């Protein structure tokens, strides 16, 4: 990436994101880190407000030494209580700590002259508490308030609502109604909205004003982390009596390597995956399905995976550190997106990594991701909840090596042209700068 040109009128920009990994924890940089680094390199005064508890590692963290010199921006850590589970009262309490303490520290720092008044406050949603505090600060300090939507909260929590289906609408209103009202109040107060997918923009509630500037900044990935997949070789015509290439998979010594990386929870089509493994074994298809991640259903899934025997086996790793995760994807052929269509995640983060690694993508989503994959011819779709459908998709790629190679090349091209995080971040930074200049 070329060196950014400094801007004529530097801005003071606050990024409010307690969830992303900070420098020293994770490579490559995630969304907030990538944006903070690029904005700082353009000459802006960037402060990233984050939490003392690492959401991904579930561990305490301290301010990284030399981050200002190394990255160009300031990281300010806000003290919060720890939590061990993503869906827990302790997590909500921790986010409440973050919102309250962030607002207090910000007011005190400005009053003491330690921080300049921000021109732009960009707050990630979810969670709710940070954006609520940011909105109050923006109103008091005359700053542009921008919300960065990762998904629509509380809709993303609906699969976790307990109770029978008949009572679930009532339970949903009881448990999530106040969160929806808080979310709507935030969206009604903002000056601009960025989102991680077009589907997120399209699903905005009526509380979000139609006239505010909006921008889609995909999560993206770094193709530079992965070697390109094997290139397609034009084969000579098959001689009479020889086995055609597309039917040669079962004669290959290496099984098809598939991977599912992500949450092991109710949003994922895990039961279908287990049945699919059995059906592939019954058909004699050689495949290994690698599963990396953790979640609410991890224990039950591990037991079911261990019971799957035959030519198709499931290997469960749990949550992998980034180097091991990259190595796993580099050894695979196919990336499985098992997110259910009723999930609010239109573009799951793992899909971007699959493309960067040059994996053929098999997805059960029926909206934005399907459109992108179909247009690029980067993979196949299956019907979520239907094991024979997923079996057919995996079997097709196992038995047709030419199609597998074509999909892998197309996925890598998609990563380099549409999903490249450096390009996405540059466009995101341009948009943010334009807001203050009246160009949003």
């Amino acid at each position: 990436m070329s060196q950014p040109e400094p801007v004529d009128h530097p801005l003071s920009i606050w990024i409010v994101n307690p969830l992303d990994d900070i420098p020293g924890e994770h490579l490559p940089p995630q969304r907030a880190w990538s944006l903070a680094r690029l904005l700082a390199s353009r000459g802006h005064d960037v402060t990233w407000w984050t939490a003392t508890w690492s959401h991904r590692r579930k561990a305490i963290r301290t301010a990284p030494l030399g981050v200002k010199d190394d990255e160009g921006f300031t990281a300010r850590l806000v003290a919060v209580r720890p939590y061990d589970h993503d869906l827990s009262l302790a997590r909500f309490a921790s986010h409440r700590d973050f919102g309250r303490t962030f607002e207090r520290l910000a007011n005190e720092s400005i009053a003491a002259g330690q921080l300049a008044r921000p021109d732009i406050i960009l707050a990630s949603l979810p969670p709710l508490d940070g954006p609520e505090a940011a909105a109050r600060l923006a109103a008091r300090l005359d700053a542009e308030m921008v919300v960065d939507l990762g998904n629509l909260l509380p809709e993303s929590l609906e699969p976790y609502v307990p109770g029978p289906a008949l009572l679930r609408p009532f339970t949903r209103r009881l448990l999530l109604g106040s969160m929806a009202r808080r979310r709507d109040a935030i969206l009604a107060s903002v000056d601009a909205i960025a989102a991680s997918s077009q589907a997120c923009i399209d699903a905005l509630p009526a509380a979000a004003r139609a006239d505010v500037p909006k921008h889609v900044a995909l999560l993206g990935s770094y193709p530079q982390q992965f070697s390109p997949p094997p290139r397609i070789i034009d084969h000579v015509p098959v001689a009479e009596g020889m086995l055609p290439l597309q039917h040669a998979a079962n004669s290959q010594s290496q099984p098809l390597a598939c991977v599912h990386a992500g949450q092991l929870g109710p949003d994922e089509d895990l039961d279908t995956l287990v049945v699919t493994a059995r059906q592939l074994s019954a058909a004699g298809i050689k495949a290994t399905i690698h599963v990396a991640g953790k979640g609410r259903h991890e224990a039950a899934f591990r037991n079911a995976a261990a019971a799957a025997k035959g030519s198709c086996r499931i290997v469960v790793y749990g949550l992998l550190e980034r180097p091991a995760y990259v190595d796993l994807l580099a050894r695979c052929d196919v990336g499985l997106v098992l997110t259910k269509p009723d999930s609010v995640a239109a573009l799951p983060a793992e899909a971007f990594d699959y493309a960067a690694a040059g994996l053929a993508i098999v997805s059960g989503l029926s909206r934005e991701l399907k459109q992108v994959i179909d247009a690029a011819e980067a993979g196949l779709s299956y019907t979520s909840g239907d094991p024979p459908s997923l079996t057919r998709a995996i079997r097709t790629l196992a038995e047709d090596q030419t199609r597998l190679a074509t999909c892998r090349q197309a996925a890598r091209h998609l990563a380099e042209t549409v999903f490249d995080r450096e390009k996405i971040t540059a466009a995101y930074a341009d948009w943010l700068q334009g807001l203050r200049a009246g160009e949003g």
Side-chain angles (χ1 to χ4, degrees), residues 263-342:
Q263 293 293 315
L264 302 182
D267 274 350
E268 305 297 316
D269 201 9
L270 300 176
D271 291 341
T272 294
L273 183 63
V274 172
V275 177
T276 291
R278 297 184 188 133
Q279 292 180 350
L280 289 170
S281 291
I285 301 298
K286 298 177 182 178
T288 301
I289 300 173
H290 304 275
V291 178
K294 65 177 185 176
R296 184 177 173 184
H297 293 171
E298 181 179 357
F301 179 75
R302 282 183 179 274
N303 292 334
K309 308 292 184 181
S311 61
C312 178
R313 63 194 186 100
I314 301 176
V315 181
V316 185
Y317 298 89
L319 184 66
L320 295 176
E321 290 297 322
R322 186 70 185 188
Y325 171 72
V326 169
D327 179 68
L328 174 62
L329 265 59
R331 293 185 282 111
C332 290
D333 308 297
V334 177
L336 304 176
V337 179
L338 301 179
T339 306
K340 295 178 181 177
D342 58 358

Side-chain angles (χ1 to χ4, degrees), residues 153-215:
L153 191 71
E155 287 82 353
S156 59
L157 298 179
E158 289 184 1
Y160 298 90
V161 172
L166 185 63
L167 297 178
R168 196 162 294 169
F170 170 78
T171 310
R172 185 186 302 116
R173 288 194 299 271
L174 179 66
L175 296 178
L176 306 181
S178 63
M179 297 178 68
R181 289 189 291 273
R182 292 170 61 194
R183 185 273 318 276
D184 288 352
I186 294 169
L187 294 177
S189 69
V190 302
D191 299 297
I193 298 173
S196 60
S197 70
Q198 182 60 47
C200 199
I201 293 289
D202 294 341
L204 283 171
R209 304 197 319 271
D211 61 335
V212 301
K214 300 177 181 67
H215 177 75

